[in-house]
Amino acid sequence: MSRAVQTIATEPDPGPLLRLVRRQEIAFAMVGMVNTGLGMALTVMWLKVFGDHVPAAAAPAAAYAVSIVIAFVLHRTLVFRVRGHLIRDFLAFCGVNSGGLLMNMLLLQLAVSILHLPDIPSAVVVMGLVAIASFFGHRHISFRRKPVTAPDAA
């Protein structure tokens, strides 16, 4: 059996989203947009649920606690298509997301306070850079798998 046939035989089914868009980067961005919208909706919902009984800052924290689990499941099943290592993957996913938040905060502060760039355009550019870094972080850290090699038929 040729090496090309062995590789094709061991590759997992790309799943419905990757069959539709064909690029992992685009699928990642689509899931990210859905999760961003979900995070916004959850924040508003928690603000209404908590009312004046809880500080407003608790709403995005509660929204994040829910949306990070949903984002993990969507990225794991629709974008990176991995199995096994559930706890390790989730902890790594949270680590990459936390690193992205820290990177976002530091780069925005640098752009606005030190470089004296306008805040809103800087925030947009920084978020784009963090999204790109997050994609590679999730690909190479959160959902990294060793390549599967087929046994040699020779």
Side-chain angles (χ1 to χ4, degrees):
M1 185 181 295
S2 75
R3 188 172 252 291
V5 172
Q6 288 175 345
T7 303
I8 291 171
T10 61
E11 288 183 12
D13 174 31
L17 183 58
L18 288 173
R19 277 195 301 270
L20 177 68
V21 298
R22 300 187 196 283
R23 301 245 353 167
Q24 195 175 45
E25 299 86 351
I26 294 170
F28 180 83
M30 291 172 68
V31 168
M33 287 188 283
V34 166
N35 199 60
T36 299
L38 175 66
M40 290 176 182
L42 286 169
T43 299
V44 170
M45 181 200 77
W46 286 120
L47 284 168
K48 295 295 183 191
V49 168
F50 293 156
D52 294 336
H53 302 42
V54 176
Y64 181 80
V66 173
S67 67
I68 194 165
V69 173
I70 294 169
F72 171 74
V73 170
L74 293 177
H75 280 102
R76 182 179 167 86
T77 59
L78 297 177
V79 178
F80 296 102
R81 307 280 300 153
V82 297
R83 295 186 186 277
H85 309 290
L86 185 67
I87 301 299
R88 186 207 71 84
D89 288 355
F90 182 69
L91 293 175
F93 187 85
C94 290
V96 169
N97 273 9
S98 296
L101 174 62
L102 183 61
M103 184 178 168
N104 198 329
M105 293 167 64
L106 291 173
L107 289 178
L108 185 57
Q109 191 65 35
L110 171 73
V112 173
S113 296
I114 296 174
L115 300 177
H116 305 290
L117 297 172
D119 57 355
I120 294 174
S122 295
V124 171
V125 169
V126 166
M127 282 189 256
L129 293 172
V130 170
I132 292 167
S134 293
F135 170 75
F136 288 105
H138 290 309
R139 176 191 270 179
H140 297 290
I141 298 170
S142 304
F143 302 112
R144 180 194 69 211
R145 296 294 188 268
K146 292 181 181 176
V148 176
T149 55
D152 209 4

